[in-house]
Amino acid sequence: MTDILQIRHPASATERDLVITDATIRAPELRQFVIDGEPLATYDPGFMNTASCRSSITYIDGDAGILEYRGYPIAELAEKSTFLEVAWLLLNGELPNPKQLADWESLITEHRMLPDKLKTLLAGFPYDAHPMSILMASTAAFYSFYPDARNFTDPQARALNIARLIGKMPTLAAFAYRKGKARPYVNPDDSYGYCHNFLQMLFKQAERRYVADPRLVRAVEVLFILHADHEQNCSTNAVRSVASSGNDLYTCTSAGVGALHGPLHGGANEAVLRMLREIGSVDRVPEFIEGVKAGRVRMMGFGHRVYKNYDPRAMIIKKAVDDVFEVTGVNPLLEIAQELEKYGLTDDYFVRRRLYPNVDFYSGLIYEALGFPPEMFTVLFAVPRSAGWAAQYQEFITDPENKIARPKQIYTGYRARGYVGMDDRG
Ligand code: ACO
């Protein structure tokens, strides 16, 4: 039986049945109601209750604290998979078999190098440039090097450019980092896996061969898996929105990087660290909490549009914190973070609003322990998210229902005014 929603508008004596599918109504059907000469629409700033697409990539139940990629629980993937396995899963819908994984890993390895001329672009940035600014400009510049990315309806060209993007993101991130430190770039080492190679490109100094502690390599792997996708978040929405006008993957990724950079999204872990430093000591936590409750500041790393329960990624990261600190020593800010969390989980202000730690609350502490400055934190988010953006991009491009993103507005300004000449403007 078709499920319907009956809507009645008494003023115009109109009654209509709207078909419900997947617990949604089709907003264009509301146009059947005409109110004051205007077709009825929905008003939903920030897409609080609007599905913008159909997707089979990532499932979230924010009330229950569930996150799954292609149906696989995130905790299991974080425990048993590598990042590249997960990237394949996001892109192809299934976990790779051994041959598929080996081919995929060697394809990604093949595409790790940056085009040589990109170094000229990097050289043009000031030394204190924010690495996210470098990342945004450089991912956009990839399109100049690989214009076949516009040929996105060809599955082969699309797959090649996806592999290029995922292969090059760590190299770009590491080069942006080393530029800020005025250190020479370190090229990829083909004998290393994705995450170990990333660490050697970042941290290799004068030694012949950089070898990272396997616990740190695994911690990066876990962080990358947790950050790989998160359905229709702000940056993914930016990627899909830019894709909707017929753009290539690189232009869309650059838009995603820009959206991710904001402190309410991927920039939050950087903001968490700054917040912890400003608080400075555990005894100042109550005063800070009072400021949050009075609306003077936000508790960064807390709250989420979708999770109204503990963010499952934060739970896994909290465990990874211990593994990393075993190698690097404990970050003194951890104590402050734990005290803040205690308040957050018990104080009525947070409990009533269902604010819990999100993925960014503890990730910054790990990144700092690994030796990253705060401005690199969002870059470390963008590298693995490129896999999710690519999967979402591909899904959008191949979706027969896709449309150019073009929301409506409620116009609140003047209408049809008489033009005021320069002499009469006062
Ligand atoms: N600290 C204090 N109060 C908060 C916080 C917070 N971190 N987050 C939400 N609130 C309060 C709001 O003031 C509001 O209170 P009110 O009802 O009295 O006005 C209520 O909780 C609802 O908040 P909204 O801002 O309406 O919630 P929204 O879903 O729009 O925002 C967001 C979600 C942006 C993540 C928000 O919780 C926030 O700013 N958190 C801090 C930044 C952060 O950690 N972002 C990372 C998110 S995870 C990610 O993007 C990877």
Side-chain angles (χ1 to χ4, degrees), residues 55-98:
S55 181
S56 60
I57 300 173
T58 292
Y59 173 79
I60 299 175
D61 179 338
D63 285 326
I66 292 172
L67 168 62
E68 295 169 358
Y69 295 159
R70 300 286 190 181
Y72 291 102
I74 190 68
E76 224 172 326
L77 292 169
E79 191 192 330
K80 299 176 183 162
S81 278
T82 63
F83 168 69
L84 282 186
E85 255 181 286
V86 168
W88 170 279
L89 171 70
L90 292 170
L91 287 158
N92 299 290
E94 298 296 337
L95 285 164
N97 65 31

Side-chain angles (χ1 to χ4, degrees), residues 264-265 268 292 298-303 305 349 353 355 358:
L264 297 188
H265 188 14
V292 173
R298 282 212 158 188
M299 180 132 112
M300 301 314 282
F302 251 71
R305 171 61 60 79
Y349 174 94
R353 290 170 178 78
L355 303 171
N358 60 48

Side-chain angles (χ1 to χ4, degrees), residues 86-223:
V86 168
W88 170 279
L89 171 70
L90 292 170
L91 287 158
N92 299 290
E94 298 296 337
L95 285 164
N97 65 31
K99 167 144 182 19
Q100 286 168 329
L101 182 61
D103 290 350
W104 173 237
E105 284 171 346
S106 84
L107 180 68
I108 294 296
T109 302
E110 193 186 308
H111 289 293
R112 282 174 178 172
M113 290 291 277
L114 294 183
D116 210 43
K117 282 227 166 77
L118 199 80
K119 291 180 193 154
T120 320
L121 177 73
L122 294 176
F125 282 91
Y127 278 107
D128 56 356
H130 198 291
M132 281 298 271
S133 159
I134 296 180
L135 201 64
M136 201 180 348
S138 309
T139 45
F142 278 158
Y143 172 55
S144 311
F145 294 95
Y146 309 112
D148 62 329
R150 274 285 157 105
N151 196 10
F152 49 75
T153 50
D154 172 0
Q156 268 181 331
R158 204 166 55 228
L160 172 63
N161 284 294
I162 288 174
R164 276 183 181 140
L165 178 74
I166 295 174
K168 289 177 200 320
M169 282 295 273
T171 317
L172 199 50
F175 279 29
Y177 169 73
R178 293 185 77 101
K179 181 179 169 58
K181 297 259 170 208
R183 289 190 193 144
Y185 302 133
V186 174
N187 278 324
D189 180 334
D190 287 0
S191 66
Y192 282 142
Y194 195 81
C195 295
H196 200 163
N197 173 57
F198 184 40
L199 288 172
Q200 76 88 23
M201 289 191 295
L202 287 159
F203 298 128
K204 187 172 187 297
Q205 306 242 25
E207 66 273 43
R208 276 177 77 87
R209 190 168 168 76
Y210 172 93
V211 181
D213 187 298
R215 287 169 292 183
L216 298 187
V217 178
R218 185 62 207 167
V220 172
E221 200 94 59
V222 169
L223 285 163

Side-chain angles (χ1 to χ4, degrees), residues 179-406:
K179 181 179 169 58
K181 297 259 170 208
R183 289 190 193 144
Y185 302 133
V186 174
N187 278 324
D189 180 334
D190 287 0
S191 66
Y192 282 142
Y194 195 81
C195 295
H196 200 163
N197 173 57
F198 184 40
L199 288 172
Q200 76 88 23
M201 289 191 295
L202 287 159
F203 298 128
K204 187 172 187 297
Q205 306 242 25
E207 66 273 43
R208 276 177 77 87
R209 190 168 168 76
Y210 172 93
V211 181
D213 187 298
R215 287 169 292 183
L216 298 187
V217 178
R218 185 62 207 167
V220 172
E221 200 94 59
V222 169
L223 285 163
F224 276 15
I225 291 169
L226 299 182
H227 286 89
D229 194 52
H230 209 233
E231 55 119 304
Q232 305 314 311
N233 54 84
C234 176
S235 56
T236 300
N237 182 58
V239 167
R240 282 183 177 257
S241 191
V242 174
S244 78
S245 66
N247 266 305
D248 61 280
L249 178 63
Y250 304 118
T251 304
C252 297
T253 299
S254 177
V257 173
L260 191 69
H261 191 189
L264 297 188
H265 188 14
N269 50 16
E270 187 177 337
V272 169
L273 254 276
R274 295 193 204 288
M275 171 186 79
L276 295 177
R277 273 213 193 86
E278 266 165 43
I279 297 171
S281 59
V282 170
D283 58 303
R284 293 189 57 203
V285 166
E287 180 193 333
F288 176 79
I289 293 288
E290 283 316 306
V292 173
K293 288 158 71 170
R296 286 193 293 277
V297 275
R298 282 212 158 188
M299 180 132 112
M300 301 314 282
F302 251 71
H304 198 277
R305 171 61 60 79
V306 180
Y307 293 117
K308 302 302 170 197
N309 201 325
Y310 214 104
D311 181 337
R313 300 168 300 172
M315 206 103 74
I316 299 164
I317 289 183
K318 217 172 148 184
K319 278 196 219 133
V321 164
D322 296 334
D323 297 340
V324 170
F325 287 178
E326 211 178 275
V327 183
T328 62
V330 176
N331 186 328
L333 297 176
L334 177 66
E335 226 187 319
I336 302 173
Q338 285 170 332
E339 186 68 9
L340 280 176
E341 185 186 348
K342 229 185 279 170
Y343 274 90
L345 296 179
T346 52
D347 191 291
D348 192 48
Y349 174 94
F350 300 93
V351 173
R352 248 187 316 117
R353 290 170 178 78
R354 304 180 72 193
L355 303 171
Y356 289 86
N358 60 48
V359 66
D360 286 324
F361 193 66
Y362 284 107
S363 62
L365 288 173
I366 296 190
Y367 295 146
E368 188 172 77
L370 291 173
F372 292 108
E375 59 273 17
M376 269 302 285
F377 295 177
T378 321
V379 175
L380 297 165
F381 190 153
V383 171
R385 185 52 62 87
S386 63
W389 289 333
Q392 300 274 350
Y393 174 85
Q394 177 169 260
E395 189 175 67
F396 179 87
I397 293 298
T398 52
D399 181 352
E401 288 184 5
N402 82 23
K403 285 239 176 287
I404 186 165
R406 198 342 183 153

